[in-house]
Amino acid sequence: MKITAGGKTFTATLADNATAAAFAKMLPLRLSMSELNGNEKYCYMDTSLPTSASNPGTIHAGDIMLYGNSCVVVFYETFTTSYSYTQIGRIDNADGLKAALGSGSVVVEFGIGDASGIAEVTAEGKTTDEWFSIDGRRISEPQKGIFIKDGKKIAKR
């Protein structure tokens, strides 16, 4: 999953549970999240999600949790807690998360896939006689420059 806030995009891994699966079905999702306690952003959604709440003991920066059955919480600080949450996922690398979320309310976008938007690239191993310009236009026969043939860049002098 990808998460964008404050102009920065992060990748996150969803938990392997019914809550995360239900959340994933809602994507893409844009939430206006409010500040709370100097350590988290939260938003109550109109939709309830399945829960399996427990006390994690320690919240980690980058944790994405569900409080109750409809409150999505993104934590940007690590601390101990006495509250119970259901895990939705975790941001893979929370460096810069606090700055991206800012000190007040923020719009956070949750999307499908990784931050690049490219889930997988495969090559079928076919060869053709087709040539393409560097910007992807098909050309008949290259003269001078850099071209693409069979998925490889080729320089013609």
Side-chain angles (χ1 to χ4, degrees):
M1 170 172 71
K2 66 178 178 176
I3 299 171
T4 304
K8 185 162 180 175
T9 301
F10 302 87
T11 58
T13 302
L14 288 169
D16 185 15
N17 62 31
T19 307
F23 185 77
K25 287 181 182 178
M26 298 173 68
L27 301 180
L29 187 61
R30 184 178 168 98
L31 299 177
S32 180
M33 303 188 84
S34 300
E35 171 63 33
L36 185 64
N37 299 327
N39 59 26
E40 64 193 75
K41 302 292 183 182
Y42 73 95
C43 178
Y44 281 93
M45 301 186 304
D46 293 333
T47 304
S48 294
L49 297 176
T51 64
S52 179
S54 64
N55 179 300
T58 301
I59 296 287
H60 298 277
D63 281 348
I64 306 162
M65 303 282 210
L66 183 69
Y67 179 72
N69 63 5
S70 65
C71 184
V72 175
V73 185
V74 176
F75 293 95
Y76 57 85
E77 293 286 354
T78 298
F79 61 96
T80 58
T81 186
S82 59
Y83 290 95
S84 292
Y85 300 91
T86 303
Q87 187 176 29
I88 295 173
R90 175 171 291 149
I91 294 172
D92 299 329
N93 182 350
D95 291 347
L97 179 61
K98 181 177 181 177
L101 293 174
S103 60
S105 296
V106 64
V107 172
V108 179
E109 296 179 5
F110 298 85
I112 301 167
D114 64 11
S116 71
I118 301 171
E120 181 179 346
V121 176
T122 58
E124 295 181 13
K126 291 196 259 180
T127 60
T128 68
D129 289 323
E130 295 180 30
W131 289 86
F132 297 89
S133 63
I134 200 73
D135 62 355
R137 290 179 292 135
R138 185 174 292 149
I139 57 174
S140 56
E141 184 65 35
Q143 301 300 318
K144 282 186 174 182
I146 299 175
F147 302 92
I148 300 171
K149 182 175 193 289
D150 298 328
K152 297 179 183 174
K153 290 181 189 171
I154 298 173
K156 287 254 188 174
R157 297 176 189 233

